[in-house]
Amino acid sequence: MATTQGPRSTATDERGFPRFWDEERETMPRDRRDELVLARIQHQLRYVYDELPFYRRHYDAHGFHPDDVKTLEDFTRKVPVITKKMLVADQQANPPFGSYTPEIPAADLARVHGSSGTSGVPTLYGVSRRDWDRAADVHAMAQWCGGVRPSDLVQVGFPFGLFFGGWGVVQGVERIGAALFPLGVAESEKHLEFLERLRPTVFSGTPSYCMHLISVAQEAGVDLRESSVRTLLVGGEPGGSLPGTRQILEEAWGATLVDAGSTSEMYPFQTNVGCEAKTGTHIISDEVFPEIVDKDDLNVPVPEGDRGAVVYTHLWRESQPMIRFAPGDESYLTHDPCPCGRTYPRLPEGVLGRLDDMLVIRGANIFPSAIETALRSVGGFGPEFEIRVSKRGALDEILVRAEYDPGATAGDAASTEALRARGEATLKRITGIRVPVEVIAPGSLPATVFKARRVVDERARA
Amino acid sequence: MATTQGPRSTATDERGFPRFWDEERETMPRDRRDELVLARIQHQLRYVYDELPFYRRHYDAHGFHPDDVKTLEDFTRKVPVITKKMLVADQQANPPFGSYTPEIPAADLARVHGSSGTSGVPTLYGVSRRDWDRAADVHAMAQWCGGVRPSDLVQVGFPFGLFFGGWGVVQGVERIGAALFPLGVAESEKHLEFLERLRPTVFSGTPSYCMHLISVAQEAGVDLRESSVRTLLVGGEPGGSLPGTRQILEEAWGATLVDAGSTSEMYPFQTNVGCEAKTGTHIISDEVFPEIVDKDDLNVPVPEGDRGAVVYTHLWRESQPMIRFAPGDESYLTHDPCPCGRTYPRLPEGVLGRLDDMLVIRGANIFPSAIETALRSVGGFGPEFEIRVSKRGALDEILVRAEYDPGATAGDAASTEALRARGEATLKRITGIRVPVEVIAPGSLPATVFKARRVVDERARA
């Protein structure tokens, strides 16, 4: 289980390419892999306990010691989880990267990226050179699983900046030796123009962006089914594994959709990846180990196939290793054999939803508390607001309806319009995405309904 | 002169790092380098004549044959130049990359990038895997010359997308093994925030963006001289070598400015790079060979030290090799010894200006013809307009003053405002940058003055 420099595979696919990136690793029998995973877990537990104050404090507080883990079940039952909230607090107390990472001299630090996080203050991710190099290989393995080959030309519609998203795609494509066209954020018409001029075989972006391009193409009289794209490599939000979204995208693009994405904290994030058999997302479990546990007690495993909370563990990261990180995802898992030959566990329907109140809107994680912070900072809004979350197709949309403060805002069209604009600008700044605001009259919202919970979730009804 | 995988240097600098990326190559005596350069020129001429229809046609039409070049002077005197206009026409006739590049299968193609070009249709650049890998090494050599070391953390303010700019910075930083924070296009407040949180030692962006951050910092009460940045690695526009701009930036940032940038066509573009001796930009002439020639006859060399037109030649590129490419830059060159020890020729004041009518505004190349195309496509403007180009500090700014068409536009505030907005949106789309438009009354412009030439260049008066 050293870093692969693939492809290493005796089997070949129908195009004559190696079938696997690392055949031995990807097709290993479960019991053999479990042994290796357990050894890595024990290594990581000792490492984080000995070297990283965040984990030492956390484990001591829970009376846990690394020596307590003799089996994989011990791991689930005995190791306390960590959450995003804990990471944010630790990073604020221990800038710039938190005490859950070792001090890394710049010469050993490859990258810094970040997330918009829960409070408007981005969480920073520092990635060591060894981790970054290894991540490139894992991304290559994942993309290879999804069908990317050296003969492909990959057009990327993910942004390149603070967020990991697009950069992981770059890493995998470069390591595979495919051709990369990293157009990134550009006018959708440009993306369409280059689809025609360059004839890429793979398009990579969020499901919602791939969905958006369908509309743009229709308006331009372009039929995406006629395009050269045969694979959509998506991630950044859950849509890609939802049957409805998948069907719409595959039919409109005339392409196979591959969902490949977990969360930024679990970088390399393409450890959840679909294969050509379309049996759900494989989890590269000897890199990022997944557990499905009881959502009310994250130390209790659920029977295989039952729904529960997802908990992830980095088996190889030395920088910012996540050990039993609970992102709040809900899913179920199976080890049933996949026709593709990989023995990794699968999430047959990907990630089903979020357990806590974190909203995922167009790929961004948004907590209601961040919206509250934004509205409160504007001046002119009253105390009451609601966050309406709805589904457009399979993707979530958001609308903030907020009462104006009659003591600060006249309530005529001009003043509420100005307030709306200020609110949206502040929400954009704090959440990183566009959040529409509707300014409503004081007393519009029944305070009793929204006292404890401001989110009106219309998704269940859809 | 094989691809370097540096650093290879016996000398060390004051921080204990190797002094050069490739000491032998960078400090080679001129006559020895000239021999190697001539051999590469002869190789490239044979290659492009035999393999690339664009060059074969061009050279046949001018009665030139590669065998005619026995000396470097032959090269200057006998080989016809190529221009951007020729490349654009050839690429349009031979999509997607033009007949000035060989057919490259996707497996041998590393990257596709592009330029907004002269007409609104981006010119595409296809880079072979071998060229891309070599470019990484050249960028590393250039950045090493500019003082970047493995101990540095580099925050990047260049965009990552169609344009090469930021990606070359990524390549060099990765090859050197420094830490990279590729924030890219983000709110300036975010750049400032991370300057404080991460304490990067290098900031990389356009001179105008570095200038802009000075204002943003002042407004925020932040003193950039107190920041951790000790090197500004700039490019994308000429400002970085102009003494006035350099002085303002170095004083406000408390940092050393290194100008490193040529043109996209000449990728790897950081072959023009400053060193710590501040003697101008070295040209890595065994990678990209520069000539200074008579601006009225590009086959006539000028005496060393005299001003003339810059002509560049790729000595190693196999994909889209540029042989005697004349970007329209004016400069002068010297081989006088530099205290840094490098024997590369230098442009003591960088690129001085543009010889033709191409405008360079905030790093984008803009031809007056593209502005005319944009205005003509809007509907509502009259026939007359002018392009006012001025200096703000050492950087160029543009304003388009255009008469409205009284037959199509009422001329009241609302209609001219709408026309202005449409004009600016179209100019943004076609030129890729924001070009302010002032809508003026018909007859405001004296047609005689602007009949042949619409550019009002106020830079000379500044």
Side-chain angles (χ1 to χ4, degrees):
Chain A
M1 289 212 299
T3 300
T4 312
Q5 293 282 345
R8 292 185 195 160
S9 174
T10 53
T12 54
D13 65 16
E14 66 283 0
R15 287 184 286 166
F17 287 109
R19 186 166 175 80
F20 301 100
W21 184 254
D22 187 339
E23 184 167 3
E24 183 186 354
R25 183 174 172 185
E26 294 173 76
T27 64
M28 186 176 287
R30 182 177 174 186
D31 54 353
R32 169 75 185 130
R33 185 183 287 127
D34 281 352
E35 288 172 22
L36 296 172
V37 165
L38 177 61
R40 284 306 304 177
I41 281 175
Q42 291 169 327
H43 170 93
Q44 291 290 78
L45 285 171
R46 281 191 300 271
Y47 164 58
V48 303
Y49 188 74
D50 290 349
E51 304 289 341
L52 307 179
F54 168 83
Y55 282 103
R56 166 77 69 138
R57 280 193 304 272
H58 184 47
Y59 291 168
D60 283 350
H62 285 77
F64 167 74
H65 188 275
D67 292 345
D68 300 342
V69 172
K70 312 287 189 197
T71 66
L72 288 180
E73 186 165 351
D74 286 343
F75 180 60
T76 297
R77 293 200 176 270
K78 296 180 180 174
V79 183
V81 300
I82 58 173
T83 62
K84 176 79 176 180
K85 194 174 168 186
M86 292 164 61
L87 300 175
V88 169
D90 183 63
Q91 185 164 98
Q92 281 175 348
N94 302 281
F97 298 120
S99 74
Y100 54 92
T101 193
E103 291 275 341
I104 302 175
D108 295 329
L109 185 69
R111 286 287 186 125
V112 179
H113 283 280
S115 147
S116 69
T118 61
S119 62
V121 178
T123 308
L124 289 175
Y125 307 116
V127 186
S128 75
R129 197 158 299 286
R130 190 156 48 178
D131 285 346
W132 185 255
D133 179 66
R134 188 177 174 95
D137 201 74
V138 175
H139 285 131
M141 185 186 296
Q143 291 174 21
W144 195 279
C145 175
V148 179
R149 295 293 179 272
S151 56
D152 281 311
L153 170 56
V154 182
Q155 181 166 325
V156 184
F158 281 108
F160 296 100
L162 189 62
F163 299 96
F164 271 128
W167 300 101
V169 178
V170 169
Q171 284 188 297
V173 171
E174 287 188 339
R175 190 61 65 98
I176 284 173
L180 182 71
F181 179 51
L183 182 55
V185 172
E187 288 170 12
S188 295
E189 289 76 11
K190 286 282 177 206
H191 270 289
L192 288 182
E193 175 191 333
F194 288 117
L195 286 177
E196 298 207 40
R197 283 181 70 186
L198 280 172
R199 302 194 59 74
T201 49
V202 179
F203 185 84
S204 184
T206 60
S208 59
Y209 192 60
C210 296
M211 195 79 84
H212 174 66
L213 284 179
I214 298 172
S215 314
V216 178
Q218 278 167 346
E219 283 169 27
V222 173
D223 186 349
L224 286 176
R225 289 173 301 182
E226 305 289 318
S227 83
S228 49
V229 173
R230 62 168 181 72
T231 303
L232 293 174
L233 183 69
V234 307
E237 58 184 9
S241 286
L242 300 173
T245 306
R246 171 189 289 272
Q247 187 180 348
I248 292 168
L249 289 170
E250 291 196 328
E251 285 179 4
W253 282 79
T256 298
L257 182 144
V258 176
D259 189 18
S262 166
T263 77
S264 293
E265 283 76 16
M266 297 315 300
Y267 192 86
F269 56 81
Q270 291 189 325
T271 47
N272 293 9
V273 63
C275 69
E276 77 276 9
K278 301 192 184 182
T279 57
T281 61
H282 292 274
I283 298 189
I284 301 177
S285 60
D286 50 4
E287 192 72 33
V288 166
F289 180 68
E291 302 161 74
I292 306 290
V293 295
D294 187 324
K295 62 187 180 185
D296 295 320
D297 185 343
L298 301 178
N299 288 105
V300 174
V302 298
E304 182 164 313
D306 282 9
R307 286 188 176 208
V310 185
V311 172
Y312 292 117
T313 294
H314 277 134
L315 299 183
W316 293 90
R317 288 248 344 227
E318 62 182 6
S319 52
Q320 300 198 343
M322 297 288 101
I323 309 297
R324 300 207 83 227
F325 175 69
D329 292 346
E330 181 177 9
S331 191
Y332 65 98
L333 179 149
T334 178
H335 279 87
D336 286 349
C338 179
C340 81
R342 288 172 185 82
T343 53
Y344 287 126
R346 282 179 289 120
L347 306 179
E349 297 184 60
V351 169
L352 299 169
R354 302 281 156 166
L355 291 166
D356 53 24
D357 61 357
M358 186 178 75
L359 305 169
V360 181
I361 308 294
R362 298 191 292 278
N365 296 349
I366 299 177
F367 283 81
S369 59
I371 290 172
E372 182 157 355
T373 301
L375 293 180
R376 296 282 181 261
S377 75
V378 171
F381 287 110
E384 292 301 332
F385 69 95
E386 64 176 11
I387 304 165
R388 299 189 84 91
V389 185
S390 57
K391 275 207 183 309
R392 183 194 295 174
L395 303 169
D396 293 347
E397 276 300 331
I398 192 170
L399 169 68
V400 171
R401 301 180 72 233
E403 295 180 3
Y404 65 83
D405 173 1
T409 302
D412 60 306
S415 70
T416 56
E417 166 60 19
L419 182 59
R420 183 196 61 74
R422 289 210 310 281
E424 292 191 352
T426 306
L427 280 162
K428 176 77 166 64
R429 182 168 57 76
I430 288 186
T431 67
I433 70 165
R434 199 180 65 79
V435 176
V437 172
E438 182 185 335
V439 178
I440 55 181
S444 303
L445 297 173
T448 49
V449 176
F450 302 106
K451 199 163 184 177
R453 185 163 169 77
R454 299 195 176 276
V455 177
V456 182
D457 194 336
E458 302 178 316
R459 290 173 293 185
R461 290 181 236 156
Chain B
M1 288 212 299
T3 300
T4 311
Q5 293 283 347
R8 292 183 194 162
S9 173
T10 54
T12 53
D13 66 16
E14 68 281 2
R15 286 184 285 165
F17 287 109
R19 187 167 176 79
F20 302 99
W21 184 254
D22 186 339
E23 184 166 4
E24 183 185 355
R25 184 176 171 182
E26 294 174 74
T27 64
M28 186 176 286
R30 181 178 176 185
D31 54 354
R32 170 72 184 133
R33 184 183 288 126
D34 281 352
E35 287 172 23
L36 297 172
V37 165
L38 177 61
R40 284 307 303 179
I41 282 175
Q42 290 169 327
H43 170 93
Q44 290 290 75
L45 285 171
R46 281 190 302 271
Y47 164 59
V48 304
Y49 188 74
D50 291 347
E51 305 289 341
L52 307 179
F54 168 84
Y55 282 105
R56 166 76 70 135
R57 281 193 304 271
H58 183 49
Y59 291 169
D60 282 350
H62 284 78
F64 166 73
H65 188 275
D67 290 347
D68 299 344
V69 172
K70 313 287 190 199
T71 66
L72 288 179
E73 186 167 351
D74 286 342
F75 180 61
T76 298
R77 292 200 178 270
K78 296 179 180 173
V79 182
V81 300
I82 59 173
T83 63
K84 177 79 176 179
K85 195 173 166 187
M86 293 164 59
L87 300 175
V88 169
D90 182 61
Q91 185 163 97
Q92 282 176 346
N94 301 280
F97 298 122
S99 74
Y100 53 93
T101 193
E103 291 276 340
I104 303 175
D108 295 329
L109 185 70
R111 285 288 186 126
V112 179
H113 282 280
S115 147
S116 69
T118 61
S119 62
V121 178
T123 308
L124 289 174
Y125 306 115
V127 186
S128 75
R129 198 157 299 285
R130 188 156 50 180
D131 285 347
W132 185 257
D133 179 67
R134 188 178 175 95
D137 200 75
V138 175
H139 285 129
M141 185 187 295
Q143 290 174 21
W144 195 278
C145 175
V148 179
R149 294 293 180 271
S151 57
D152 281 310
L153 170 56
V154 182
Q155 181 167 325
V156 183
F158 281 108
F160 296 100
L162 189 62
F163 299 96
F164 271 129
W167 299 100
V169 177
V170 169
Q171 282 190 299
V173 170
E174 287 188 340
R175 191 61 65 98
I176 284 172
L180 182 71
F181 180 50
L183 183 54
V185 172
E187 286 170 11
S188 296
E189 289 75 10
K190 286 282 177 207
H191 270 290
L192 288 182
E193 175 190 334
F194 288 117
L195 287 175
E196 297 207 41
R197 284 181 70 184
L198 280 173
R199 302 194 59 74
T201 49
V202 179
F203 185 85
S204 184
T206 61
S208 60
Y209 191 61
C210 295
M211 195 79 83
H212 174 66
L213 283 179
I214 297 171
S215 314
V216 178
Q218 279 168 345
E219 283 168 27
V222 173
D223 186 350
L224 287 176
R225 288 172 302 183
E226 305 289 317
S227 84
S228 49
V229 173
R230 61 169 181 73
T231 302
L232 293 173
L233 183 69
V234 306
E237 56 184 11
S241 285
L242 300 172
T245 305
R246 171 189 290 272
Q247 187 180 348
I248 292 168
L249 288 171
E250 290 194 330
E251 285 180 3
W253 281 80
T256 298
L257 182 144
V258 176
D259 189 18
S262 163
T263 77
S264 292
E265 283 77 16
M266 297 315 299
Y267 194 86
F269 58 79
Q270 290 188 326
T271 46
N272 293 9
V273 61
C275 70
E276 79 275 8
K278 300 190 186 184
T279 57
T281 61
H282 293 275
I283 299 188
I284 302 177
S285 59
D286 49 6
E287 192 72 34
V288 165
F289 180 70
E291 305 161 72
I292 306 290
V293 295
D294 187 324
K295 62 187 179 183
D296 295 320
D297 183 345
L298 302 178
N299 288 104
V300 174
V302 298
E304 182 164 313
D306 282 10
R307 286 188 177 207
V310 184
V311 172
Y312 292 117
T313 294
H314 277 135
L315 299 182
W316 293 89
R317 284 228 16 205
E318 60 181 7
S319 52
Q320 300 199 343
M322 298 287 102
I323 309 297
R324 299 207 83 226
F325 176 69
D329 292 345
E330 182 176 8
S331 192
Y332 65 98
L333 180 150
T334 178
H335 279 87
D336 285 351
C338 179
C340 81
R342 288 173 185 82
T343 53
Y344 286 127
R346 281 180 290 118
L347 305 179
E349 297 184 61
V351 169
L352 299 168
R354 302 280 156 167
L355 292 165
D356 53 24
D357 59 356
M358 186 179 75
L359 305 169
V360 181
I361 308 295
R362 298 191 291 279
N365 296 348
I366 299 175
F367 283 82
S369 59
I371 289 172
E372 183 157 355
T373 301
L375 292 180
R376 295 282 181 259
S377 76
V378 171
F381 286 112
E384 292 300 336
F385 69 96
E386 65 176 12
I387 303 164
R388 299 190 84 92
V389 185
S390 58
K391 277 207 184 306
R392 182 195 296 174
L395 303 170
D396 293 347
E397 277 299 331
I398 192 171
L399 171 68
V400 171
R401 302 179 72 234
E403 296 180 3
Y404 65 83
D405 172 4
T409 303
D412 59 306
S415 69
T416 56
E417 167 58 21
L419 182 60
R420 182 196 60 74
R422 289 210 310 280
E424 292 191 353
T426 306
L427 281 161
K428 177 77 166 65
R429 183 168 55 78
I430 288 185
T431 66
I433 70 165
R434 201 182 64 79
V435 177
V437 172
E438 182 186 335
V439 178
I440 55 181
S444 302
L445 298 173
T448 49
V449 175
F450 300 106
K451 199 163 185 177
R453 185 166 169 75
R454 299 195 174 276
V455 176
V456 183
D457 194 335
E458 302 179 316
R459 290 174 294 186
R461 291 181 232 154

